[in-house]
């Protein structure tokens, strides 16, 4: 069978706990959680920045098109 059974996962977890200890795993969990939190925050900040840049460009583009269209005679 190619899949992992519950026994494989359980044995793997016990080996990891014995190798690293619970305190190191706890610190690792905090570090990974902090990294994920910072990553999500940076993505959210970048999306907000991109949205404001796009909005500014759209407003500038509309103003420019209006000026060009008003000066062009048909």
């Amino acid at each position: 069978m190619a899949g992992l059974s519950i026994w494989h996962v359980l044995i793997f977890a016990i080996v990891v706990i014995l190798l690293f200890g619970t305190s190191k795993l706890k610190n690792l969990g905090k570090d990974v959680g902090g990294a994920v939190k910072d990553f999500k925050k940076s993505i959210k900040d970048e999306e907000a920045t991109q949205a404001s840049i796009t909005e500014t460009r759209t407003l500038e583009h509309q103003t420019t098109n209006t000026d060009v269209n008003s000066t062009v005679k048909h």
Side-chain angles (χ1 to χ4, degrees):
M1 183 171 12
L4 293 176
S5 70
I6 189 70
W7 295 109
H8 291 115
V9 174
L10 185 61
I11 291 170
F12 179 74
I14 290 171
V15 169
V16 168
I17 289 171
L18 290 175
L19 284 175
F20 296 108
T22 56
S23 62
K24 285 186 181 180
L25 292 176
K26 182 179 174 184
N27 291 337
L28 178 69
K30 285 182 183 179
D31 292 342
V32 170
V36 170
K37 189 175 184 180
D38 290 340
F39 178 74
K40 286 182 180 180
K41 182 181 176 190
S42 68
I43 293 295
K44 192 179 294 184
D45 291 344
E46 188 169 326
E47 285 177 354
T49 303
Q50 289 294 330
S52 66
I53 289 172
T54 304
E55 183 177 316
T56 304
R57 287 183 182 167
T58 303
L59 291 175
E60 289 174 357
H61 182 67
Q62 288 173 353
T63 304
T64 305
N65 284 344
T66 304
D67 293 340
V68 170
N69 290 336
S70 64
T71 58
V72 174
K73 296 180 181 178
H74 294 288

